[in-house]
Amino acid sequence: MTDRYILYHHALCPFSRTVRLILREKGLAYALITELPWKPSEALLKHNPLGDLPVLVEPAEHALCIPQAIYEYLNEVKPTPNLLGETLLGRAEIRRLIGLFDTFFYRDVMRPLLDERLVKSLTTGADPDSRRIRIARDNLKKYLTYINWLTERRSYLGGRHLSLADLCIAAHLSVLDYFGEIPWENYTDLKIWYAKIKSRPSFSALLQDRIAGIIPSESYTNLDF
Amino acid sequence: MTDRYILYHHALCPFSRTVRLILREKGLAYALITELPWKPSEALLKHNPLGDLPVLVEPAEHALCIPQAIYEYLNEVKPTPNLLGETLLGRAEIRRLIGLFDTFFYRDVMRPLLDERLVKSLTTGADPDSRRIRIARDNLKKYLTYINWLTERRSYLGGRHLSLADLCIAAHLSVLDYFGEIPWENYTDLKIWYAKIKSRPSFSALLQDRIAGIIPSESYTNLDF
């Protein structure tokens, strides 16, 4: 029995990034174990036969799988700060935004861009499929326009306070920003919101992550981008 | 303002089925509006521009989207019976099973089988892709073996009591059972568990659903299958 959490993660896995942000915002100590999503280790498979990331091993050594189950667990195990809001409809809205990004944005934008720009270059070395990239970028525009519209109206995405929705969506955008995929200048309010989340102490470790052979974009670590 | 819920759904959408089961288990009154997943109505798009199902309009007319956000909302708005369990790790396990089915099972099994066996026959009339069906059926076996293993060890999937995990997974299996895709005889404990869930009053309305032109399998409505 240890007194801290162990997170099996990959530096550019958006779900792993969200969990790291929550752990930091909650002030929970944790150690990271790096995995390659396309080649899960024996240790990871023992905890999660599907091999998907992240897996969080809690202090009594129970392994927790599935991103949303981990987010909810962490918000319950350490209730302050409350990252799910004070009202019933507020929580439904925060969970809607999480599902919108973890399911739909992941399918429409993140997965194809990660496959083409990260996985291929680190595995087979095959040429990226430019048509698939173009479709994902077109989809990205729609999501950015929508989130920009929300940030015009709300100081945080789930309402007046920082919530899991901010951490989840900022985690997704930070991965794409590593690859220079976010044209921040077209999305004024989104950029203001992202600068605010990016400046939080919880975010600093993420901005230090590097993947060998892939240099992050200029805006990635710059807090005044 | 009305005193009941309105659910935009499709009879063979597994997420919509889960929400119907929760509403019934909670004793909440609701009306159904039938949608075609491949052709969302103007009314649905007004509530949910993505057009995905289900959408739950609550009595004060706020529209709730994203399956897991709706499940959690319903469990909070009417806390009895509690469908998420009494312990922190128990809730994480229930939410893990929900994510396993709503995300991975949906991607690996449900979506391809629904596309090939339902959507094509009701839209373009194109021939089903037999290779895609074969892969989905191979995946299905792995999930059924796993759930059968769980039902050997637990009276309900999330532990000792009925939970959202039972309703969610039974909803998914019921859709495939409509098409005769579940070889129950190979999965003894799974069959006992499913018979128990299927016999609940909350399940009866689902078993009466019919899609024009597609006759359900013999086991579908039979409580003694």
Side-chain angles (χ1 to χ4, degrees):
Chain A
M1 175 124 174
T2 157
D3 62 342
R4 64 177 180 174
Y5 290 88
I6 296 169
L7 184 69
Y8 290 80
H9 87 126
H10 181 267
L12 293 182
C13 159
F15 312 112
S16 304
R17 288 191 154 219
T18 304
V19 174
R20 288 164 69 191
L21 291 172
I22 300 170
L23 285 161
R24 289 287 300 268
E25 291 288 343
K26 295 283 187 179
L28 296 167
Y30 64 98
L32 292 175
I33 297 179
T34 295
E35 290 279 340
L36 298 176
W38 50 90
K39 199 182 166 186
S41 70
E42 289 297 318
L44 176 66
L45 289 171
K46 210 188 69 185
H47 290 307
N48 178 12
L50 277 179
D52 61 296
L53 295 173
V55 170
L56 182 71
V57 182
E58 51 85 83
E61 297 191 10
H62 293 282
L64 308 176
C65 308
I66 297 291
Q68 300 76 27
I70 299 174
Y71 311 160
E72 298 270 354
Y73 166 87
L74 288 172
N75 198 53
E76 289 184 8
V77 81
K78 188 150 191 297
T80 51
N82 172 7
L83 295 174
L84 261 171
E86 305 291 345
T87 69
L88 190 59
L89 287 174
R91 287 188 288 279
E93 174 65 358
I94 289 164
R95 290 178 174 126
R96 178 185 74 83
L97 290 167
I98 291 170
L100 181 65
F101 272 71
D102 278 0
T103 302
F104 292 91
F105 183 85
Y106 182 76
R107 181 194 67 189
D108 298 340
V109 180
M110 180 66 70
R111 181 70 190 263
L113 287 177
L114 280 183
D115 278 355
E116 300 303 326
R117 299 207 55 188
L118 177 73
V119 182
K120 276 189 179 174
S121 79
L122 296 183
T123 57
T124 61
D127 286 337
D129 177 341
S130 58
R131 186 169 167 274
R132 196 171 176 217
I133 291 180
R134 199 171 56 245
I135 293 170
R137 284 181 181 156
D138 283 345
N139 291 332
L140 173 60
K141 277 186 209 155
K142 294 174 198 152
Y143 283 95
L144 293 179
T145 301
Y146 173 61
I147 295 293
N148 189 59
W149 179 88
L150 279 186
T151 51
E152 282 171 21
R153 282 153 183 80
R154 304 174 181 174
S155 31
Y156 290 95
L157 290 175
R160 286 184 302 127
H161 302 287
L162 180 81
S163 78
L164 294 179
D166 298 291
L167 302 181
C168 169
I169 294 175
H172 279 278
L173 297 189
S174 73
V175 173
L176 297 184
D177 193 33
Y178 189 99
F179 294 97
E181 289 284 351
I182 316 269
W184 294 108
E185 64 281 8
N186 300 341
Y187 304 96
T188 313
D189 293 277
L190 178 67
K191 185 177 168 177
I192 294 167
W193 164 83
Y194 187 65
K196 185 165 62 182
I197 307 297
K198 191 179 178 179
S199 311
R200 297 183 72 85
S202 64
F203 226 85
S204 62
L206 270 59
L207 300 181
Q208 288 154 28
D209 286 340
R210 293 292 178 278
I211 299 290
I214 304 178
I215 298 166
S217 73
E218 225 170 284
S219 61
Y220 183 66
T221 47
N222 189 353
L223 290 179
D224 190 25
F225 56 108
Chain B
M1 176 127 172
T2 157
D3 63 342
R4 65 177 179 173
Y5 290 88
I6 297 168
L7 184 69
Y8 291 79
H9 87 127
H10 181 266
L12 293 183
C13 160
F15 313 111
S16 304
R17 288 191 156 220
T18 304
V19 173
R20 289 163 70 191
L21 290 172
I22 300 170
L23 286 161
R24 289 287 300 269
E25 291 287 343
K26 295 281 187 181
L28 296 167
Y30 64 98
L32 291 174
I33 297 179
T34 295
E35 290 281 338
L36 297 176
W38 50 90
K39 199 181 166 187
S41 70
E42 288 297 317
L44 176 65
L45 289 171
K46 210 187 69 185
H47 290 306
N48 177 12
L50 276 179
D52 61 297
L53 294 173
V55 170
L56 182 71
V57 182
E58 51 84 83
E61 297 190 12
H62 293 281
L64 307 177
C65 309
I66 299 290
Q68 300 77 26
I70 298 174
Y71 310 160
E72 298 270 355
Y73 166 87
L74 288 172
N75 198 53
E76 289 184 8
V77 80
K78 189 152 189 296
T80 52
N82 172 7
L83 296 174
L84 262 172
E86 304 291 345
T87 69
L88 189 60
L89 286 174
R91 288 189 288 279
E93 174 65 356
I94 290 164
R95 290 177 173 128
R96 177 184 74 84
L97 290 167
I98 291 171
L100 181 65
F101 272 72
D102 278 0
T103 302
F104 292 91
F105 183 85
Y106 182 76
R107 180 194 68 188
D108 298 339
V109 180
M110 180 66 70
R111 180 69 190 265
L113 287 177
L114 279 182
D115 278 355
E116 299 303 327
R117 299 206 57 188
L118 177 73
V119 182
K120 277 188 178 173
S121 79
L122 296 183
T123 56
T124 61
D127 287 336
D129 176 341
S130 58
R131 185 168 169 273
R132 195 171 176 218
I133 290 179
R134 199 171 56 245
I135 293 170
R137 284 180 180 155
D138 283 345
N139 291 333
L140 173 60
K141 277 186 210 156
K142 293 173 199 155
Y143 284 94
L144 293 180
T145 301
Y146 173 62
I147 295 293
N148 189 59
W149 180 87
L150 278 186
T151 51
E152 282 172 21
R153 282 154 184 80
R154 305 174 181 173
S155 32
Y156 290 95
L157 291 175
R160 287 185 302 128
H161 301 288
L162 180 81
S163 78
L164 295 178
D166 298 291
L167 303 181
C168 169
I169 294 175
H172 278 279
L173 297 189
S174 74
V175 173
L176 297 185
D177 193 34
Y178 190 99
F179 293 98
E181 290 282 354
I182 316 269
W184 294 109
E185 64 282 8
N186 300 341
Y187 304 96
T188 313
D189 293 277
L190 178 67
K191 185 177 168 177
I192 294 167
W193 164 82
Y194 186 65
K196 186 165 65 182
I197 307 297
K198 191 179 180 180
S199 311
R200 298 183 72 85
S202 63
F203 226 85
S204 62
L206 269 58
L207 300 181
Q208 288 155 30
D209 286 340
R210 293 292 178 278
I211 299 290
I214 303 179
I215 298 166
S217 73
E218 226 170 281
S219 62
Y220 183 65
T221 48
N222 189 354
L223 289 180
D224 189 25
F225 56 107

